[in-house]
């Protein structure tokens, strides 16, 4: 489980009765690339091939640019979620009061030519969802479990959130814009555990609203 926490995407790093901290980080990738850069630089110097130093420098630069750490802390005592995103040259922070949180959503988009579905969690509010990470991942089972854990901490009924359809509207709209209606229906069926007819009706309803809004 510890290995998964280091190598996997978003995961819980701290959980108490008053606080739940969720982290999504690529630091381990940056550390690996830096080790590669050091090894290349050392080999270049030993074998007197100084052109290898340029490659080592490029790898080190890429490791620096690839570095990111995104943290969301749900603080029950202060009744707010604090989020912070750190990049090589950028830091962003924000606060979402518990009173504005309506649920935890799972946005979906596609990756690659095969249209593989990838996911990320968002904090659903009365206005617009707040992404918990800038990065998507294909491990849906992991995100579903993490979503359930966060909802439990927030004392939000996951059944009420899913049946409303709010948690997946953004993902469904994204798939419909790509002309992938079948994938949108499958997403609704799998995430909300409803039948084919209900899923089709829900997707058609969202599709009609999108067309009417144009």
């Amino acid at each position: 489980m510890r290995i998964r926490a280091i190598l996997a995407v978003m995961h819980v790093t701290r959980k108490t009765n008053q606080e739940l901290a969720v982290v999504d980080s690529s630091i381990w990738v940056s550390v690996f690339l830096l080790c590669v850069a050091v090894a290349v630089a050392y080999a270049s110097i030993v074998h007197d091939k100084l052109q290898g130093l340029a490659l080592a420098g490029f790898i080190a630069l890429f490791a620096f640019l690839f570095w990111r750490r995104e943290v969301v802390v749900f603080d029950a005592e202060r009744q707010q979620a604090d989020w912070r995103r750190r990049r090589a040259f950028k830091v962003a922070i924000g606060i979402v009061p518990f009173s504005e949180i309506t649920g935890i959503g799972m946005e979906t988009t596609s990756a690659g030519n095969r249209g593989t579905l990838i996911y990320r969690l968002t904090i659903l509010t009365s206005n617009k969802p707040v992404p918990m990470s800038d990065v998507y991942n294909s491990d849906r089972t992991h995100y579903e479990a993490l979503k359930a854990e966060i909802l439990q901490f927030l004392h939000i009924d996951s059944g009420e959130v899913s049946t409303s359809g709010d948690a997946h509207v953004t993902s469904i709209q994204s798939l419909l814009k790509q002309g992938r209606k079948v994938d949108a229906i499958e997403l609704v069926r799998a995430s909300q555990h409803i039948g084919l007819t209900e899923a089709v009706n829900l997707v058609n309803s969202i599709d009609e609203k999108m067309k009417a809004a144009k």
Side-chain angles (χ1 to χ4, degrees):
M1 187 70 177
R2 183 175 294 274
I3 294 177
R4 179 182 179 84
I6 295 175
L7 299 181
V9 287
M10 182 177 290
H11 58 279
V12 173
T13 59
R14 183 172 66 257
K15 183 178 182 181
T16 67
N17 291 333
Q18 295 297 320
E19 191 176 76
L20 178 69
V22 183
V23 175
D24 193 357
S25 172
S26 66
I27 292 178
W28 64 273
V29 178
S30 296
V31 171
F32 173 76
L33 291 174
L34 285 175
C35 291
V36 173
V38 171
V40 172
Y42 176 78
S44 299
I45 295 174
V46 170
H47 297 288
D48 197 24
K49 294 182 178 180
L50 299 183
Q51 63 270 24
L53 293 177
L55 175 60
F58 177 77
I59 296 174
L61 177 62
F62 187 76
F64 179 69
L65 295 176
F66 197 82
W67 184 88
R68 67 177 179 82
R69 180 175 173 82
E70 298 164 311
V71 182
V72 180
V73 178
F74 295 92
D75 191 329
E77 182 176 357
R78 294 189 296 167
Q79 288 291 293
Q80 65 184 33
D82 301 278
W83 60 267
R84 179 184 298 269
R85 300 192 186 102
R86 291 182 179 272
R87 296 275 184 172
F89 300 104
K90 183 179 180 181
V91 177
I93 61 175
I95 295 175
V96 183
F98 279 10
S99 59
E100 296 182 7
I101 298 178
T102 59
I104 300 297
M106 190 162 67
E107 286 187 354
T108 307
T109 188
S110 58
N113 296 329
R114 296 184 179 181
T116 302
L117 295 179
I118 51 178
Y119 313 88
R120 72 174 179 181
L121 295 184
T122 63
I123 300 174
L124 298 176
T125 70
S126 54
N127 294 319
K128 62 180 181 179
V130 178
M132 292 180 61
S133 174
D134 291 334
V135 178
Y136 291 80
N137 188 271
S138 60
D139 194 345
R140 176 176 176 172
T141 302
H142 175 71
Y143 278 119
E144 288 282 8
L146 182 56
K147 172 184 172 181
E149 187 172 0
I150 297 172
L151 288 173
Q152 183 180 34
F153 179 83
L154 295 173
H155 303 293
I156 296 177
D157 188 342
S158 60
E160 292 179 0
V161 173
S162 64
T163 53
S164 68
D166 292 339
H168 299 282
V169 170
T170 302
S171 298
I172 295 169
Q173 290 174 336
S174 176
L175 290 171
L176 288 174
K177 289 177 181 178
Q178 300 172 46
R180 300 171 56 194
K181 194 170 187 176
V182 174
D183 288 335
I185 293 171
E186 288 302 316
L187 172 64
V188 172
R189 292 189 66 190
S191 62
Q192 300 193 28
H193 308 290
I194 59 178
L196 177 60
T197 301
E198 292 176 282
V200 170
N201 291 337
L202 176 57
V203 171
N204 285 338
S205 175
I206 295 175
D207 192 21
E208 290 174 1
K209 291 180 180 179
M210 289 175 59
K211 292 177 179 177
K214 292 182 179 180

